[in-house]
Amino acid sequence: MSATLGIAIERLSKSFGAVQALADIEIQVKAGEFLALIGPSGCGKTTLLKCVAGLLPADAGRIVIGSRPVSGPGGREASLVFQDFALLPWATARENAEFGLLLRGAPAAERTEAARRALAKVGLAGSFEQAYPAQLSGGMQQRVGLARALAVNPQVLLMDEPFASIDEQTRRILQDDLLRLWSEERKTVVLVTHSMEEAIYLSDRVVVLSPRPGRVHRVLDVPLPRPRETLDVRASGEFARLVDELWQILKKMQ
Amino acid sequence: MTPLVAPEPAFGRAGFAAIAGLLVVWEILGRLELTMFVPSASSVAVAWWGLLTDGTLLRSAGSSFGSLLKGFVPAALLGVALGLAMGRFRTLREVLDGWINALMSAPLSALVPVLIALFGVRDTVVAATVFLFSFFVIVVNTMTGVRGTERSLVEMARSFGAGEAALFARIYLPAALPAILLGLRLGAVQAVKGMVVGEMLISLVGMGERLIYYGNTFLIPELYAVIVSVLLIALLSSTLVQSAERALVKWK
Ligand SMILES: Nc1ncnc2c1ncn2[C@@H]1O[C@H](COP(=O)(O)OP(=O)(O)OP(=O)(O)O)[C@@H](O)[C@H]1O
Ligand SMILES: [Mg+2]
């Protein structure tokens, strides 16, 4: 297995016609780091993630994952996790989890094996494998989405508001499961969120983007102890203080 | 996994009750002998049995069915192919959309004389009419299905390195499948209409010819018997497509 990779985003700019979405974005994500990305609606968070995934070409600047500059979609370093899960409604949970490998031409036996393992990692082993997405709750659907991303064994996970449409209780469970997975797998994670609590609870650093055109407004370090999923970090005064600090930054920016 | 809702039967109890009620009313009206144009249901059944046993019905239905297949199969294949392409490629869509919409709402029966001029008074005209009647609704439904594909599914597939061919086979086609099958079902019903219209206008073969003949010779129960048979064929074709739908679209 290859080493974990960092991401260098260098002077990245992106416009859609006359609308400038991103201006001069400069972010260094360390190998194995958990980075949260927060900012007002429409500031270009999704656009930034798509640029990193190679789905959108940058107008200026460049993105390097590990040592390879991103030049288009389909790179093997990074996997995306989508807010709306992006599951194939006509495929079972296992077929969905296999889909990335299928597109990359992996043989059937290897696909099934990797999908099984990934589904087990996200807590969906056994009979759920044969369920269609419509038969699963939102939380379980996103587990399948996460399993699909993990099945191709990427070094980088790019998550666009993965828990935004999931109810609060399930979201907390998924957040803890994500933290556990992250500490076991040592992947680099970039997670976009609208939730200040989520950003602080999960990440090592929070990058705050300014309103459109998105620029890096502030970077907030989150020195909370880990493993946070077992330490009851949410109840600590330090957690509350950091959430408030983030809130003050966002409030002043409006 | 058990499905969460029981699959609906193709033809529910209410449907049978409605048909039974209709038959009773029809029988009563017929027995009243108000006019020769409303024969009783039982006399139509007798006529139908007569036409079935003397081979008339099978002969004309056989010819009709042949034309139906010769028109509908190419309409389905070409319609789905064109619909997929129009759904995917914007320029093609912009060029053809107006034409397709115009032809879909045009009174296509008016074109049959043109077809007769083209092909002569032959059963090819019937197949061509079937094609024209069913083609456009298949194109439009397929195109709508492709265009309704979730963007995030396409992005997901592209993020895993899917090229154009893989996108078509693995995303657009399955995403459009329910709409395609709906198009085929509507197309099958249109095809039966096209078949009857074509046959009536060339007055040479098939059930349409029988309709004209019994109409002109005032054999009203026989006329009704053929009408009922045409309805049955329409129902049968759409039921066939519907069961294909159920077999192919298991995830809903
Ligand atoms: N394909 C596109 N074509 C044109 N404009 C676009 C496109 N994608 C995004 N934009 C515009 O770029 C800007 C940034 O969009 P983006 O989706 O990246 O924002 P976001 O930060 O993810 O917002 P949200 O928090 O609502 O998800 C918005 O003004 C949006 O309207
Ligand atoms: Mg977004």
Side-chain angles (χ1 to χ4, degrees):
Chain A
M1 204 180 293
S2 39
T4 311
L5 305 174
I7 307 168
I9 301 167
E10 295 162 359
R11 306 215 55 178
L12 181 79
S13 294
K14 176 74 192 170
S15 298
F16 297 101
V19 178
Q20 186 167 26
L22 297 170
D24 265 336
I25 300 283
E26 189 85 38
I27 302 172
Q28 304 288 328
V29 191
K30 298 183 202 88
E33 184 177 25
F34 200 126
L35 189 94
L37 211 54
I38 201 167
S41 202
C43 75
K45 303 179 293 294
T46 298
T47 304
L48 179 55
L49 224 50
K50 283 185 189 168
C51 287
V52 176
L55 287 170
L56 285 173
D59 294 341
R62 64 174 203 155
I63 298 165
V64 182
I65 303 181
S67 58
R68 197 184 69 87
V70 174
S71 59
R76 307 220 154 188
E77 293 84 0
S79 282
L80 275 167
V81 178
F82 296 80
Q83 176 179 353
D84 67 355
F85 321 135
L87 298 180
L88 307 174
W90 54 84
T92 63
R94 185 164 58 87
E95 289 162 349
N96 267 290
E98 284 183 18
F99 195 62
L101 291 158
L102 177 73
L103 289 174
R104 291 186 183 176
E110 184 186 313
R111 285 200 312 258
T112 309
E113 172 60 26
R116 283 240 165 83
R117 235 182 304 126
L119 284 169
K121 267 183 211 163
V122 299
L124 275 186
S127 65
F128 291 116
E129 281 185 13
Q130 297 309 320
Y132 288 98
Q135 297 169 316
L136 298 173
S137 68
M140 291 206 272
Q141 291 189 42
Q142 191 56 298
R143 285 175 192 274
V144 178
L146 189 56
R148 176 182 58 203
L150 291 173
V152 294
N153 195 25
Q155 280 97 42
V156 175
L157 275 183
L158 306 170
M159 312 179 82
D160 191 2
E161 304 192 41
F163 310 136
S165 53
I166 291 168
D167 68 273
E168 176 75 26
Q169 293 166 43
T170 313
R171 186 186 313 157
R172 287 199 174 193
I173 296 168
L174 279 166
Q175 287 167 346
D176 282 352
D177 287 352
L178 177 62
L179 282 180
R180 202 169 303 120
L181 267 168
W182 173 71
S183 62
E184 285 163 9
E185 307 251 321
R186 304 310 312 176
K187 299 199 186 295
T188 308
V189 178
V190 179
L191 177 133
V192 169
T193 180
H194 266 129
S195 155
M196 291 172 276
E197 281 82 5
E198 179 167 272
I200 298 291
Y201 185 64
L202 296 176
S203 72
D204 297 318
R205 280 192 303 159
V206 183
V207 171
V208 182
L209 294 183
S210 64
R212 207 176 64 214
R215 299 172 195 274
V216 177
H217 177 74
R218 276 281 294 277
V219 180
L220 182 68
D221 280 306
V222 184
L224 292 170
R226 292 187 189 271
R228 295 176 192 165
E229 64 275 22
T230 52
L231 288 177
D232 208 10
V233 158
R234 276 199 187 87
S236 69
E238 180 67 357
F239 178 77
R241 194 193 64 72
L242 283 162
V243 171
D244 188 59
E245 188 177 346
L246 184 53
W247 167 230
Q248 296 305 328
I249 296 170
L250 284 164
K251 198 164 66 173
K252 283 201 195 97
M253 208 170 57
Q254 302 293 311
Chain B
M1 269 289 148
T2 49
L4 300 180
V5 283
E8 258 179 67
F11 223 72
R13 231 178 258 177
F16 278 114
I19 287 182
L22 186 72
L23 285 176
V24 170
V25 173
W26 181 4
E27 183 66 26
I28 293 170
L29 280 177
R31 293 279 169 103
L32 291 175
E33 294 194 16
L34 300 168
T35 149
M36 70 177 290
F37 293 108
V38 185
S40 67
S42 52
S43 66
V44 171
V46 171
W48 189 81
W49 184 248
L51 293 179
L52 190 68
T53 43
D54 76 2
T56 310
L57 210 48
L58 283 182
R59 211 169 330 111
S60 54
S63 158
S64 290
F65 219 70
S67 309
L68 198 61
L69 282 183
K70 269 192 268 171
F72 182 67
V73 171
L77 294 176
L78 293 175
V80 169
L82 183 62
L84 286 174
M86 281 179 68
R88 187 74 189 93
F89 304 112
R90 195 161 136 215
T91 21
L92 189 64
R93 184 162 64 241
E94 279 166 0
V95 171
L96 293 181
D97 220 11
W99 287 99
I100 300 274
N101 277 322
L103 284 168
M104 196 163 74
S105 40
L108 289 170
S109 347
L111 283 179
V112 176
V114 180
L115 295 174
I116 294 176
L118 275 176
F119 296 110
V121 182
R122 296 197 297 126
D123 56 356
T124 318
V125 172
V126 179
T129 315
V130 167
F131 181 92
L132 277 182
F133 268 66
S134 55
F135 180 67
F136 301 105
V137 67
I138 297 173
V139 172
V140 169
N141 270 279
T142 305
M143 178 177 77
T144 310
V146 172
R147 298 205 64 198
T149 307
E150 292 282 344
R151 272 185 64 97
S152 68
L153 291 186
V154 176
E155 270 168 2
M156 182 273 294
R158 292 214 307 131
S159 80
F160 284 115
E164 193 62 37
L167 282 183
F168 245 110
R170 307 253 177 228
I171 304 289
Y172 288 115
L173 192 58
L177 192 60
I180 292 174
L181 290 167
L182 175 64
L184 290 177
R185 184 143 54 98
L186 298 173
V189 174
Q190 286 297 311
V192 175
K193 275 195 209 167
M195 173 194 90
V196 175
V197 167
E199 286 174 348
M200 285 175 72
L201 287 174
I202 66 167
S203 234
L204 183 71
V205 287
M207 305 179 79
E209 183 272 336
R210 284 288 98 187
L211 286 175
I212 293 287
Y213 175 78
Y214 294 133
N216 288 343
T217 52
F218 293 100
L219 293 167
I220 304 303
E222 279 77 6
L223 179 65
Y224 274 78
V226 177
I227 292 174
V228 168
S229 308
V230 169
L231 288 178
L232 284 177
I233 289 186
L235 190 66
L236 182 73
S237 335
S238 103
T239 308
L240 276 179
V241 181
Q242 212 169 4
S243 33
E245 239 172 283
R246 236 175 257 122
L248 287 168
V249 186
K250 280 178 297 197
W251 69 88
K252 285 226 161 139

